[in-house]
Amino acid sequence: MQTSEQWSSKIGFILAAAGSAIGVGAIWKLPYVTGISGGGAFFLLFILFSLIIGFPLLLAEFVIGRSTQKEAISAYRTLAPNTNWHWIGKLGVFTCFLLLSFYSVIGGWIVIYFAKGLFGGIIHEGADYVAVFNTTISNPLLVIAAQLGFLVLTVVVVARGIQNGIEKASKILMPALFALFIVLIVRSLTLENAMEGVKFFLAPDFSNITSQSILFAMGQAFFSLSVGVSVMVTYSSYLSKKESLIQPAISIVSMNLLIALLAGLAIFPAVFSLGLEPAEGPGLLFVVLPAVFDQIIFGEAFLLGFLALFLFATLTSAFSMLEIIVASIVKGNEAKRTKYAFIVGAFIFAVGIPSALSYSVFADLLIFSKSLFDSADYLVSNILMPLGVLLISIFVPLKIKKSALREEILRHSRLGSIAFNTWFFIMKYVIPLVIIIVFLDITGILDRIIALF
């Protein structure tokens, strides 16, 4: 069944897909993962993985979705009937389900901070913002209620559909996020000792890079671009065949890298200026932002505005995660959308409760020395997403005719055979090889193989 809705315009698709990609991946996660992984060298690896692997894979998911005009699971079934390849779509749905379960916890933290900001309850002279954050996330009833509130917002928008829900919301507020980031960066760069933070973020020091850092950089590239989980398969299925695929892919990757750069320039100069620890972890953003806005006239108002836009950026990513799940159930029957959006949202809320309680009731419950929240994050970013990427990189060259791929990618594009052949080579050989090598390295198998020689 063909999807019953489409994006009303190419810019609507780009903003919605960029919103999915940018979200918490670039604004919340990248700064703290960069902080714990060595700074500039990690960021450089992230850029390389985004360009060499993320961009080609984004195009591949676009081809799968737009060529079939169906949601993820049905798209794989259409391209490879009577096979088990549709499990790639199911893996993507499961990954998004698990991802949204702990992602909604972060969304809940933002909801709490935004609510506090409305009543001037965040910025105070001499406040210990590390302690404020730790106290906030250790309140079990508060974080669960906020997580629920965040999911309700997500469900309501997705229930409204593509044009009236996701696209309309993305068009209104995504541009404002860029504008406020510029304000934050200007202030952050004018703080004392700010250049030390810029150096940490942009000057590569490869002595701190480990195989774990490489895996994190690759996982972060996938996380930030929403690839490997077939979200972009579903989103591109709503795109008209009259539009080019290459231009939106370039725009989305460029916007994602720009936001990642802006996030780093906003956060790390302030981290070093204020004597904070760059390896603070998941709470880095919630500690640094209040501390920076504390230094600005009308800082409370600016902080409230940023939190509002940060909440929206987080929601745009959540929309895409919920959409792939709901779309796989309703399969184009929009009459079922509202009902299943709320049912799926309820299940995600229940599964996310342990992650929400990772810093309170379940603080002592660890899996391989990681909290429940960090374990879910690690499983999604460093195992499930790379596995999805590997399977998609095998599926596309193997199960879709090269002539069909060429036609879909070059449609309405000025690029020619050289660009297509380069993309095809990367998909077929480079991406699988890179992911397999990194997996072998992280498991220690690669060292044993090298030792044999």
Side-chain angles (χ1 to χ4, degrees):
M1 180 184 296
Q2 181 169 315
T3 53
S4 58
E5 273 201 285
Q6 289 192 332
W7 305 109
S8 65
S9 64
K10 181 168 64 178
I11 190 63
F13 166 63
I14 290 174
L15 288 175
S20 166
I22 290 168
V24 165
I27 301 174
W28 163 73
K29 191 176 182 184
L30 181 68
Y32 97 75
V33 176
T34 302
I36 64 177
S37 303
F42 175 87
F43 186 62
L44 180 59
L45 286 174
F46 163 73
I47 293 173
L48 293 175
F49 277 126
S50 295
L51 296 174
I52 296 173
I53 296 180
F55 175 73
L57 195 74
L58 192 62
L59 267 179
E61 291 200 23
F62 282 179
V63 168
I64 295 168
R66 213 269 294 274
S67 66
T68 60
Q69 299 277 282
K70 295 181 179 180
E71 44 72 34
I73 297 175
S74 298
Y76 290 106
R77 279 200 174 112
T78 299
L79 292 170
N82 304 315
T83 69
N84 290 320
W85 285 105
H86 65 275
W87 278 95
I88 299 177
K90 291 184 175 181
L91 175 65
V93 169
F94 171 74
T95 302
C96 283
F97 185 94
L98 183 59
L99 172 55
L100 189 51
S101 74
F102 74 83
Y103 189 96
S104 59
V105 175
I106 309 158
W109 295 348
I110 303 169
V111 169
I112 294 170
Y113 267 64
F114 180 72
K116 284 185 175 183
L118 281 174
F119 299 99
I122 299 179
I123 294 179
H124 297 289
E125 187 176 350
D128 182 346
Y129 294 113
V130 175
V132 170
F133 176 71
N134 290 336
T135 300
T136 300
I137 65 173
S138 62
N139 185 326
L141 292 179
L142 182 62
V143 293
I144 289 177
Q147 177 201 11
L148 177 61
F150 178 83
L151 280 172
V152 168
L153 288 172
T154 303
V155 168
V156 167
V157 171
V158 172
R160 288 177 58 84
I162 299 305
Q163 290 186 19
N164 291 326
I166 298 172
E167 183 176 357
K168 185 175 290 186
S170 300
K171 280 183 175 180
I172 294 171
L173 289 176
M174 276 303 292
L177 183 66
F178 284 89
L180 200 54
F181 248 130
I182 299 301
V183 174
L184 184 60
I185 288 170
V186 169
R187 181 56 188 138
S188 189
L189 290 176
T190 54
L191 293 171
E192 186 179 353
N193 204 35
M195 287 303 108
E196 288 301 312
V198 175
K199 181 179 178 182
F200 172 82
F201 179 51
L202 296 181
D205 178 4
F206 289 98
S207 64
N208 293 320
I209 290 296
T210 64
S211 58
Q212 188 86 346
S213 300
I214 296 172
L215 182 64
F216 278 3
M218 184 172 66
Q220 179 62 29
F222 302 154
F223 189 99
S224 293
L225 286 171
S226 296
V227 294
V229 293
S230 297
V231 159
M232 293 304 178
V233 171
T234 299
Y235 263 29
S236 60
S237 72
Y238 306 133
L239 183 64
S240 168
K241 292 202 174 189
K242 296 178 182 179
E243 302 290 353
S244 165
L245 292 181
I246 293 177
Q247 184 182 347
I250 292 173
S251 299
I252 291 164
V253 172
S254 300
M255 289 173 69
N256 186 64
L257 291 177
L258 176 59
I259 282 289
L261 176 65
L262 295 179
L265 290 176
I267 297 300
F268 289 112
V271 167
F272 280 80
S273 176
L274 300 169
L276 299 173
E277 177 57 53
E280 175 73 29
L284 180 64
L285 199 66
F286 296 91
V287 172
V288 173
L289 281 178
V292 173
F293 283 114
D294 196 358
Q295 309 288 319
I296 302 175
I297 299 175
F298 304 119
E300 194 83 48
F302 277 113
L303 176 60
L304 186 62
F306 187 86
L307 286 171
L309 294 171
F310 185 28
L311 176 60
F312 175 76
T314 310
L315 283 167
T316 55
S317 289
F319 297 158
S320 66
M321 297 174 214
L322 183 58
E323 176 63 25
I324 184 179
I325 304 168
V326 172
S328 70
I329 298 173
V330 304
K331 298 186 184 303
N333 185 348
E334 293 301 307
K336 297 180 179 179
R337 174 177 285 275
T338 299
K339 172 185 174 181
Y340 284 104
F342 278 92
I343 290 174
V344 171
F347 277 106
I348 291 172
F349 170 67
V351 172
I353 289 176
S355 291
L357 300 179
S358 291
Y359 302 96
S360 55
V361 178
F362 296 146
D364 296 327
L365 186 57
L366 304 177
I367 301 176
F368 298 111
S369 301
K370 296 180 183 293
S371 69
L372 295 179
F373 178 98
D374 289 335
S375 296
D377 184 8
Y378 185 90
L379 177 61
V380 166
S381 300
N382 300 303
I383 297 178
L384 295 180
M385 278 188 163
L387 177 60
V389 168
L390 177 62
L391 292 174
I392 292 171
S393 67
I394 294 172
F395 173 82
V396 170
L398 183 66
K399 303 305 292 185
I400 306 178
K401 291 182 180 180
K402 192 172 182 179
S403 58
L405 289 172
R406 183 194 303 270
E407 179 183 353
E408 195 68 33
I409 286 180
L410 297 183
R411 179 179 293 166
H412 306 297
S413 169
R414 296 179 181 178
L415 297 179
S417 296
I418 294 177
F420 170 77
N421 289 332
T422 302
W423 171 85
F424 188 82
F425 178 83
I426 291 173
M427 282 297 304
K428 189 171 184 178
Y429 300 108
V430 176
I431 293 177
L433 182 62
V434 167
I435 295 174
I436 290 171
I437 288 174
V438 172
F439 268 134
L440 291 176
D441 188 18
I442 204 69
T443 57
I445 297 175
L446 185 62
D447 290 336
R448 297 174 190 174
I449 295 174
I450 294 174
L452 294 176
F453 297 94

PDB file of all heavy atoms in Angstrom, residues 295-316:
ATOM      1  N   GLN A 295      26.203  34.417  33.088  1.00  0.00           N
ATOM      2  CA  GLN A 295      27.141  35.499  32.818  1.00  0.00           C
ATOM      3  C   GLN A 295      26.566  36.560  31.874  1.00  0.00           C
ATOM      4  O   GLN A 295      27.251  37.501  31.487  1.00  0.00           O
ATOM      5  CB  GLN A 295      28.416  34.926  32.179  1.00  0.00           C
ATOM      6  CG  GLN A 295      29.041  33.760  32.923  1.00  0.00           C
ATOM      7  CD  GLN A 295      29.692  34.176  34.206  1.00  0.00           C
ATOM      8  OE1 GLN A 295      30.345  35.208  34.260  1.00  0.00           O
ATOM      9  NE2 GLN A 295      29.534  33.377  35.254  1.00  0.00           N
ATOM     10  N   ILE A 296      25.316  36.390  31.461  1.00  0.00           N
ATOM     11  CA  ILE A 296      24.720  37.255  30.440  1.00  0.00           C
ATOM     12  C   ILE A 296      23.566  38.067  31.038  1.00  0.00           C
ATOM     13  O   ILE A 296      22.792  37.557  31.848  1.00  0.00           O
ATOM     14  CB  ILE A 296      24.188  36.407  29.265  1.00  0.00           C
ATOM     15  CG1 ILE A 296      25.305  35.561  28.651  1.00  0.00           C
ATOM     16  CG2 ILE A 296      23.559  37.284  28.192  1.00  0.00           C
ATOM     17  CD1 ILE A 296      24.832  34.618  27.569  1.00  0.00           C
ATOM     18  N   ILE A 297      23.475  39.320  30.627  1.00  0.00           N
ATOM     19  CA  ILE A 297      22.314  40.133  31.014  1.00  0.00           C
ATOM     20  C   ILE A 297      21.055  39.491  30.448  1.00  0.00           C
ATOM     21  O   ILE A 297      21.033  39.045  29.301  1.00  0.00           O
ATOM     22  CB  ILE A 297      22.462  41.583  30.482  1.00  0.00           C
ATOM     23  CG1 ILE A 297      23.704  42.243  31.083  1.00  0.00           C
ATOM     24  CG2 ILE A 297      21.226  42.404  30.786  1.00  0.00           C
ATOM     25  CD1 ILE A 297      23.992  43.621  30.519  1.00  0.00           C
ATOM     26  N   PHE A 298      20.013  39.440  31.257  1.00  0.00           N
ATOM     27  CA  PHE A 298      18.771  38.754  30.890  1.00  0.00           C
ATOM     28  C   PHE A 298      19.026  37.277  30.596  1.00  0.00           C
ATOM     29  O   PHE A 298      18.362  36.657  29.762  1.00  0.00           O
ATOM     30  CB  PHE A 298      18.095  39.418  29.682  1.00  0.00           C
ATOM     31  CG  PHE A 298      17.815  40.874  29.856  1.00  0.00           C
ATOM     32  CD1 PHE A 298      18.394  41.811  29.014  1.00  0.00           C
ATOM     33  CD2 PHE A 298      16.969  41.320  30.877  1.00  0.00           C
ATOM     34  CE1 PHE A 298      18.145  43.162  29.172  1.00  0.00           C
ATOM     35  CE2 PHE A 298      16.720  42.674  31.047  1.00  0.00           C
ATOM     36  CZ  PHE A 298      17.301  43.598  30.204  1.00  0.00           C
ATOM     37  N   GLY A 299      20.005  36.729  31.308  1.00  0.00           N
ATOM     38  CA  GLY A 299      20.396  35.335  31.076  1.00  0.00           C
ATOM     39  C   GLY A 299      19.264  34.349  31.269  1.00  0.00           C
ATOM     40  O   GLY A 299      19.158  33.361  30.539  1.00  0.00           O
ATOM     41  N   GLU A 300      18.406  34.582  32.246  1.00  0.00           N
ATOM     42  CA  GLU A 300      17.287  33.680  32.497  1.00  0.00           C
ATOM     43  C   GLU A 300      16.367  33.601  31.282  1.00  0.00           C
ATOM     44  O   GLU A 300      15.903  32.518  30.906  1.00  0.00           O
ATOM     45  CB  GLU A 300      16.489  34.165  33.719  1.00  0.00           C
ATOM     46  CG  GLU A 300      15.506  33.153  34.276  1.00  0.00           C
ATOM     47  CD  GLU A 300      16.152  32.147  35.217  1.00  0.00           C
ATOM     48  OE1 GLU A 300      16.914  32.557  36.117  1.00  0.00           O
ATOM     49  OE2 GLU A 300      15.896  30.947  35.030  1.00  0.00           O
ATOM     50  N   ALA A 301      16.117  34.747  30.649  1.00  0.00           N
ATOM     51  CA  ALA A 301      15.250  34.766  29.467  1.00  0.00           C
ATOM     52  C   ALA A 301      15.910  34.036  28.298  1.00  0.00           C
ATOM     53  O   ALA A 301      15.262  33.264  27.577  1.00  0.00           O
ATOM     54  CB  ALA A 301      14.933  36.205  29.073  1.00  0.00           C
ATOM     55  N   PHE A 302      17.230  34.281  28.105  1.00  0.00           N
ATOM     56  CA  PHE A 302      17.945  33.584  27.044  1.00  0.00           C
ATOM     57  C   PHE A 302      17.961  32.072  27.297  1.00  0.00           C
ATOM     58  O   PHE A 302      17.780  31.277  26.376  1.00  0.00           O
ATOM     59  CB  PHE A 302      19.383  34.105  26.931  1.00  0.00           C
ATOM     60  CG  PHE A 302      19.504  35.360  26.121  1.00  0.00           C
ATOM     61  CD1 PHE A 302      19.868  36.555  26.717  1.00  0.00           C
ATOM     62  CD2 PHE A 302      19.260  35.353  24.751  1.00  0.00           C
ATOM     63  CE1 PHE A 302      19.988  37.719  25.967  1.00  0.00           C
ATOM     64  CE2 PHE A 302      19.378  36.508  23.993  1.00  0.00           C
ATOM     65  CZ  PHE A 302      19.742  37.701  24.608  1.00  0.00           C
ATOM     66  N   LEU A 303      18.196  31.681  28.532  1.00  0.00           N
ATOM     67  CA  LEU A 303      18.225  30.266  28.876  1.00  0.00           C
ATOM     68  C   LEU A 303      16.870  29.627  28.595  1.00  0.00           C
ATOM     69  O   LEU A 303      16.786  28.524  28.051  1.00  0.00           O
ATOM     70  CB  LEU A 303      18.602  30.078  30.342  1.00  0.00           C
ATOM     71  CG  LEU A 303      18.571  28.627  30.861  1.00  0.00           C
ATOM     72  CD1 LEU A 303      19.547  27.761  30.065  1.00  0.00           C
ATOM     73  CD2 LEU A 303      18.907  28.574  32.348  1.00  0.00           C
ATOM     74  N   LEU A 304      15.810  30.313  28.943  1.00  0.00           N
ATOM     75  CA  LEU A 304      14.469  29.792  28.710  1.00  0.00           C
ATOM     76  C   LEU A 304      14.219  29.612  27.211  1.00  0.00           C
ATOM     77  O   LEU A 304      13.665  28.592  26.780  1.00  0.00           O
ATOM     78  CB  LEU A 304      13.421  30.739  29.303  1.00  0.00           C
ATOM     79  CG  LEU A 304      11.966  30.253  29.259  1.00  0.00           C
ATOM     80  CD1 LEU A 304      11.804  28.989  30.074  1.00  0.00           C
ATOM     81  CD2 LEU A 304      11.032  31.340  29.775  1.00  0.00           C
ATOM     82  N   GLY A 305      14.653  30.580  26.421  1.00  0.00           N
ATOM     83  CA  GLY A 305      14.500  30.477  24.975  1.00  0.00           C
ATOM     84  C   GLY A 305      15.286  29.314  24.405  1.00  0.00           C
ATOM     85  O   GLY A 305      14.794  28.560  23.553  1.00  0.00           O
ATOM     86  N   PHE A 306      16.522  29.158  24.882  1.00  0.00           N
ATOM     87  CA  PHE A 306      17.338  28.062  24.385  1.00  0.00           C
ATOM     88  C   PHE A 306      16.739  26.719  24.785  1.00  0.00           C
ATOM     89  O   PHE A 306      16.709  25.779  23.987  1.00  0.00           O
ATOM     90  CB  PHE A 306      18.768  28.162  24.900  1.00  0.00           C
ATOM     91  CG  PHE A 306      19.677  27.138  24.277  1.00  0.00           C
ATOM     92  CD1 PHE A 306      20.305  27.394  23.067  1.00  0.00           C
ATOM     93  CD2 PHE A 306      19.873  25.911  24.870  1.00  0.00           C
ATOM     94  CE1 PHE A 306      21.113  26.443  22.474  1.00  0.00           C
ATOM     95  CE2 PHE A 306      20.679  24.952  24.293  1.00  0.00           C
ATOM     96  CZ  PHE A 306      21.307  25.222  23.088  1.00  0.00           C
ATOM     97  N   LEU A 307      16.263  26.621  26.026  1.00  0.00           N
ATOM     98  CA  LEU A 307      15.663  25.365  26.478  1.00  0.00           C
ATOM     99  C   LEU A 307      14.426  25.021  25.652  1.00  0.00           C
ATOM    100  O   LEU A 307      14.180  23.852  25.343  1.00  0.00           O
ATOM    101  CB  LEU A 307      15.294  25.458  27.964  1.00  0.00           C
ATOM    102  CG  LEU A 307      16.476  25.403  28.942  1.00  0.00           C
ATOM    103  CD1 LEU A 307      15.998  25.719  30.361  1.00  0.00           C
ATOM    104  CD2 LEU A 307      17.143  24.024  28.910  1.00  0.00           C
ATOM    105  N   ALA A 308      13.655  26.054  25.279  1.00  0.00           N
ATOM    106  CA  ALA A 308      12.471  25.825  24.449  1.00  0.00           C
ATOM    107  C   ALA A 308      12.872  25.245  23.096  1.00  0.00           C
ATOM    108  O   ALA A 308      12.271  24.278  22.598  1.00  0.00           O
ATOM    109  CB  ALA A 308      11.698  27.123  24.263  1.00  0.00           C
ATOM    110  N   LEU A 309      13.925  25.812  22.493  1.00  0.00           N
ATOM    111  CA  LEU A 309      14.374  25.341  21.195  1.00  0.00           C
ATOM    112  C   LEU A 309      15.094  23.998  21.305  1.00  0.00           C
ATOM    113  O   LEU A 309      14.982  23.141  20.429  1.00  0.00           O
ATOM    114  CB  LEU A 309      15.277  26.389  20.550  1.00  0.00           C
ATOM    115  CG  LEU A 309      14.545  27.684  20.202  1.00  0.00           C
ATOM    116  CD1 LEU A 309      15.521  28.759  19.765  1.00  0.00           C
ATOM    117  CD2 LEU A 309      13.522  27.434  19.107  1.00  0.00           C
ATOM    118  N   PHE A 310      15.827  23.810  22.392  1.00  0.00           N
ATOM    119  CA  PHE A 310      16.479  22.528  22.643  1.00  0.00           C
ATOM    120  C   PHE A 310      15.417  21.437  22.799  1.00  0.00           C
ATOM    121  O   PHE A 310      15.565  20.318  22.290  1.00  0.00           O
ATOM    122  CB  PHE A 310      17.341  22.643  23.899  1.00  0.00           C
ATOM    123  CG  PHE A 310      18.167  21.416  24.211  1.00  0.00           C
ATOM    124  CD1 PHE A 310      18.593  20.563  23.209  1.00  0.00           C
ATOM    125  CD2 PHE A 310      18.533  21.132  25.516  1.00  0.00           C
ATOM    126  CE1 PHE A 310      19.355  19.440  23.509  1.00  0.00           C
ATOM    127  CE2 PHE A 310      19.288  20.025  25.826  1.00  0.00           C
ATOM    128  CZ  PHE A 310      19.700  19.176  24.815  1.00  0.00           C
ATOM    129  N   LEU A 311      14.327  21.778  23.480  1.00  0.00           N
ATOM    130  CA  LEU A 311      13.219  20.840  23.637  1.00  0.00           C
ATOM    131  C   LEU A 311      12.630  20.503  22.268  1.00  0.00           C
ATOM    132  O   LEU A 311      12.340  19.334  21.971  1.00  0.00           O
ATOM    133  CB  LEU A 311      12.152  21.441  24.549  1.00  0.00           C
ATOM    134  CG  LEU A 311      10.872  20.621  24.729  1.00  0.00           C
ATOM    135  CD1 LEU A 311      11.185  19.255  25.339  1.00  0.00           C
ATOM    136  CD2 LEU A 311       9.874  21.375  25.607  1.00  0.00           C
ATOM    137  N   PHE A 312      12.484  21.514  21.428  1.00  0.00           N
ATOM    138  CA  PHE A 312      11.930  21.247  20.110  1.00  0.00           C
ATOM    139  C   PHE A 312      12.864  20.361  19.291  1.00  0.00           C
ATOM    140  O   PHE A 312      12.414  19.418  18.622  1.00  0.00           O
ATOM    141  CB  PHE A 312      11.675  22.551  19.351  1.00  0.00           C
ATOM    142  CG  PHE A 312      11.211  22.294  17.951  1.00  0.00           C
ATOM    143  CD1 PHE A 312       9.912  21.896  17.712  1.00  0.00           C
ATOM    144  CD2 PHE A 312      12.085  22.402  16.888  1.00  0.00           C
ATOM    145  CE1 PHE A 312       9.491  21.613  16.422  1.00  0.00           C
ATOM    146  CE2 PHE A 312      11.675  22.120  15.594  1.00  0.00           C
ATOM    147  CZ  PHE A 312      10.375  21.728  15.357  1.00  0.00           C
ATOM    148  N   ALA A 313      14.173  20.662  19.324  1.00  0.00           N
ATOM    149  CA  ALA A 313      15.131  19.849  18.577  1.00  0.00           C
ATOM    150  C   ALA A 313      15.094  18.404  19.054  1.00  0.00           C
ATOM    151  O   ALA A 313      15.229  17.459  18.266  1.00  0.00           O
ATOM    152  CB  ALA A 313      16.541  20.426  18.733  1.00  0.00           C
ATOM    153  N   THR A 314      14.901  18.225  20.348  1.00  0.00           N
ATOM    154  CA  THR A 314      14.792  16.888  20.915  1.00  0.00           C
ATOM    155  C   THR A 314      13.516  16.212  20.427  1.00  0.00           C
ATOM    156  O   THR A 314      13.508  15.024  20.086  1.00  0.00           O
ATOM    157  CB  THR A 314      14.780  16.965  22.458  1.00  0.00           C
ATOM    158  OG1 THR A 314      15.864  17.774  22.890  1.00  0.00           O
ATOM    159  CG2 THR A 314      14.927  15.586  23.071  1.00  0.00           C
ATOM    160  N   LEU A 315      12.438  16.970  20.387  1.00  0.00           N
ATOM    161  CA  LEU A 315      11.166  16.425  19.927  1.00  0.00           C
ATOM    162  C   LEU A 315      11.223  16.014  18.459  1.00  0.00           C
ATOM    163  O   LEU A 315      10.660  14.975  18.075  1.00  0.00           O
ATOM    164  CB  LEU A 315      10.050  17.453  20.130  1.00  0.00           C
ATOM    165  CG  LEU A 315       9.536  17.608  21.561  1.00  0.00           C
ATOM    166  CD1 LEU A 315       8.672  18.865  21.688  1.00  0.00           C
ATOM    167  CD2 LEU A 315       8.737  16.377  21.982  1.00  0.00           C
ATOM    168  N   THR A 316      11.907  16.791  17.610  1.00  0.00           N
ATOM    169  CA  THR A 316      11.958  16.441  16.194  1.00  0.00           C
ATOM    170  C   THR A 316      12.634  15.093  15.969  1.00  0.00           C
ATOM    171  O   THR A 316      12.260  14.344  15.057  1.00  0.00           O
ATOM    172  CB  THR A 316      12.685  17.520  15.365  1.00  0.00           C
ATOM    173  OG1 THR A 316      13.985  17.752  15.904  1.00  0.00           O
ATOM    174  CG2 THR A 316      11.894  18.814  15.337  1.00  0.00           C
TER     175      THR A 316
END
